[in-house]
């Protein structure tokens, strides 16, 4: 059976107190504790009306951003949910049961089961009416969103594929020498074999292999206007690549531990590391311009929003920094374990943790950055950032 919908209990509770701390208190609005296992990922719908969480308990849940209530329980996976993506009309989840599922966001009904991978599905990405997936079976795949059938298999990595990003054809140069190759767009994958690969989606052929890292590629972000990929690795470096030519453009090397997560905003690259810091780099030169300290464990999640850099850490706390000065503005305490994912919508910060809780925090009062002119629509199309489980870090320091 492809799974069935269920109205979820409204078991969240309201927290009325403020949690003080260095840089100001973070007021917890709600704690949503319906999941019976850690939350591995959190996705916000494009219209900002819903949240989707995927959990170790094998379920996903839909939540309303208006009141923080659980709208639907998505059941059907036979193992833990590794990742999820929420669109306005459908939710997508992937699992250690080797499948991907598509769900109706209004009813919670499972609409489609995508079968074909032979091991854990790590990540999914919905773009250009296609679904892309990466797996421990050493492959990435492209699927028809409507039919649930594999349209392309991308084989060539020598170990599991962790992360992926997509550049649509309209984001790529139209020169005759490359137009045919990129007609279906380009898929970029990162693997524990130490390489990233660029694939021609239309043909399934490997367009470039990006070699240079000496450790697993854990995270990846893509700057589509400049057709540049930024990869982070267990070798403690970030590397910038031209995805058309395969040329390594720059190496960012000041971290002292694995680079776990990346965020790209306003021509700056933010990198979160097992060395307990976030570093800010100029995307175009590789110059390190700022270090954000204060974390007591690995930095596991990053989100830039309106001049503020939000971080999640293995120390079970989220933090808000002024992105320009690096000053710590607020600490959000309450989780019991590592924060795996963060999102921001309006004046609310959402944090998802391995403790099984989704927490909603009031971020009013943080300084607002001056509004920048809107970027061309094409430059926003397919930025994608993700991370994998926290790498080993140095022992915790006393509080």
């Amino acid at each position: 059976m492809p799974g069935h919908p269920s109205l979820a209990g409204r078991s969240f509770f309201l927290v009325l107190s403020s949690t003080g701390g260095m840089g100001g208190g973070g007021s917890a609005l709600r704690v949503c504790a319906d999941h019976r296992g850690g939350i591995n990922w959190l996705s916000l719908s494009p219209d900002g009306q819903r949240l989707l969480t995927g959990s170790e308990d094998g379920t996903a849940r839909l939540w309303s951003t208006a009141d923080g209530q659980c709208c639907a329980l998505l059941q059907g996976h036979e193992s833990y949910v590794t990742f999820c993506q929420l669109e306005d009309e459908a939710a997508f989840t992937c699992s250690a049961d080797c499948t991907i599922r598509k769900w109706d966001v209004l009813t919670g009904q499972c609409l489609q089961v995508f079968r074909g991978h032979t091991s854990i599905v790590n990540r999914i990405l919905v773009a250009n009416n296609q679904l892309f997936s990466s797996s421990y079976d050493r492959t990435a795949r492209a699927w028809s969103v409507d039919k649930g059938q594999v349209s392309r298999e991308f084989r060539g990595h020598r170990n599991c594929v962790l992360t992926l990003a997509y550049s649509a054809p309209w984001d790529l140069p139209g020169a005759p020498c490359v137009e045919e190759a990129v007609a279906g767009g380009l898929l970029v994958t990162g693997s524990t074999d130490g390489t990233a690969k660029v694939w021609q989606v239309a043909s399934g052929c490997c367009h470039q292999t990006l070699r240079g890292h000496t450790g697993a590629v854990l995270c990846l972000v893509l700057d589509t206007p400049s057709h540049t990929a930024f990869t982070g690795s267990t070798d403690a470096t970030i590397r910038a690549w031209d995805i058309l030519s395969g040329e390594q453009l720059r190496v960012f090397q000041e971290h002292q531990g694995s680079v776990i997560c990346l965020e790209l905003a306003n021509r700056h690259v933010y990198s979160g590391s097992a060395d307990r810091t976030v570093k800010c780099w100029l995307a175009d030169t590789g110059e390190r311009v700022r270090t954000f300290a204060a974390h007591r464990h690995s930095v596991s999640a990053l989100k830039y929003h309106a001049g503020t850099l939000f971080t999640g850490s293995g120390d079970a706390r989220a933090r808000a920094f002024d992105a320009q000065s690096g000053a710590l503005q607020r600490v959000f305490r309450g989780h019991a374990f590592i924060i795996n994912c963060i999102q921001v919508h309006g004046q609310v910060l959402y944090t998802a943790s391995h403790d099984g809780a989704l927490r909603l925090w009031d971020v009013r009062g943080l300084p607002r950055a001056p509004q920048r002119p809107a970027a061309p629509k094409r430059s926003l199309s397919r930025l994608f950032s993700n991370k994998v489980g926290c790498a080993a870090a140095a022992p915790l320091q006393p509080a």
Side-chain angles (χ1 to χ4, degrees), residues 166-170 172-175 178-186 200-202 207 244:
Y166 174 71
S167 184
W170 51 82
L172 297 165
V178 297
E179 195 170 33
E180 183 177 351
V182 304
L186 294 175
Q200 299 172 12
V201 173
H207 182 72
L244 296 177

Side-chain angles (χ1 to χ4, degrees), residues 51-367:
L51 287 164
L52 175 66
T53 51
S55 172
E56 291 281 320
D57 65 13
T59 71
R61 288 177 182 263
L62 282 164
W63 311 83
S64 167
T65 57
D67 55 16
Q69 295 189 17
C70 186
C71 309
L73 171 63
L74 312 182
Q75 297 183 102
H77 281 298
E78 298 177 1
S79 188
Y80 60 90
V81 177
T82 54
F83 194 80
C84 56
Q85 183 173 336
L86 183 56
E87 297 296 304
D88 288 335
E89 298 181 356
F92 297 84
T93 58
C94 60
S95 169
D97 68 7
C98 310
T99 71
I100 303 155
R101 288 176 180 254
K102 177 183 177 182
W103 311 82
D104 186 295
V105 297
L106 297 179
T107 66
Q109 181 70 43
C110 182
L111 302 174
Q112 191 77 52
V113 181
F114 301 76
R115 304 181 189 277
H117 281 297
T118 58
S119 189
I120 296 169
V121 184
N122 290 310
R123 293 290 180 265
I124 50 175
L125 172 61
V126 180
N128 197 21
N129 202 36
Q130 296 179 93
L131 171 66
F132 300 98
S133 59
S134 63
S135 172
Y136 269 72
D137 66 12
R138 305 183 182 186
T139 73
R141 299 179 187 225
W143 313 73
S144 165
V145 169
D146 298 326
K147 297 179 181 179
Q149 298 175 344
V150 176
S151 56
R152 288 285 181 271
E153 289 187 21
F154 307 98
R155 294 183 176 272
H157 281 297
R158 292 179 289 104
N159 214 325
C160 58
V161 185
L162 296 179
T163 182
L164 73 175
Y166 174 71
S167 184
W170 51 82
D171 290 320
L172 297 165
C177 58
V178 297
E179 195 170 33
E180 183 177 351
V182 304
L186 294 175
L187 180 70
V188 187
T189 57
S191 168
T192 55
D193 66 11
T195 71
K197 287 181 178 287
V198 184
W199 308 88
Q200 299 172 12
V201 173
S203 67
C205 296
C206 182
H207 182 72
Q208 299 289 349
T209 297
L210 312 180
R211 292 186 173 90
H213 283 297
T214 58
V217 177
L218 301 183
C219 49
L220 163 68
V221 290
L222 188 59
D223 180 37
T224 52
S226 66
H227 43 84
T228 301
F230 298 88
T231 54
S233 169
T234 57
D235 67 9
T237 71
I238 304 110
R239 294 170 191 255
W241 314 82
D242 184 310
I243 62 173
L244 296 177
S245 68
E247 179 187 1
Q248 179 176 285
L249 304 174
R250 288 171 289 283
V251 181
F252 309 64
Q253 48 186 359
E254 285 193 24
H255 278 299
Q256 302 301 309
S258 297
V259 179
I260 297 169
C261 47
L262 293 170
E263 179 83 341
L264 179 63
N266 301 326
R267 308 309 307 156
H268 290 80
V269 176
Y270 298 89
S271 54
S273 171
D275 67 10
R276 309 178 191 178
T277 71
V278 176
K279 293 185 184 293
C280 174
W281 318 78
L282 295 180
D284 298 324
T285 66
E287 177 188 355
R288 195 267 302 162
V289 295
R290 202 163 296 111
T291 297
F292 303 82
H295 306 94
R296 296 177 179 176
H297 206 279
S298 301
V299 179
S300 49
L302 293 172
K303 192 70 178 180
Y304 176 93
H305 178 75
T308 300
L309 182 68
F310 294 93
T311 67
S313 173
D315 64 15
R317 296 170 184 172
R319 292 172 172 82
F321 295 88
D322 182 279
Q324 187 169 359
S325 69
L328 178 63
Q329 297 176 321
R330 199 169 292 177
V331 181
F332 304 90
R333 296 178 173 87
H335 283 296
F337 296 108
I338 181 174
I339 295 172
N340 288 325
C341 191
I342 54 182
Q343 294 285 351
V344 186
H345 178 62
Q347 297 297 302
V348 180
L349 169 69
Y350 302 89
T351 57
S353 167
H354 206 67
D355 64 11
L358 168 67
R359 288 179 179 256
L360 287 63
W361 310 87
D362 185 358
V363 297
R364 288 175 297 180
L366 293 175

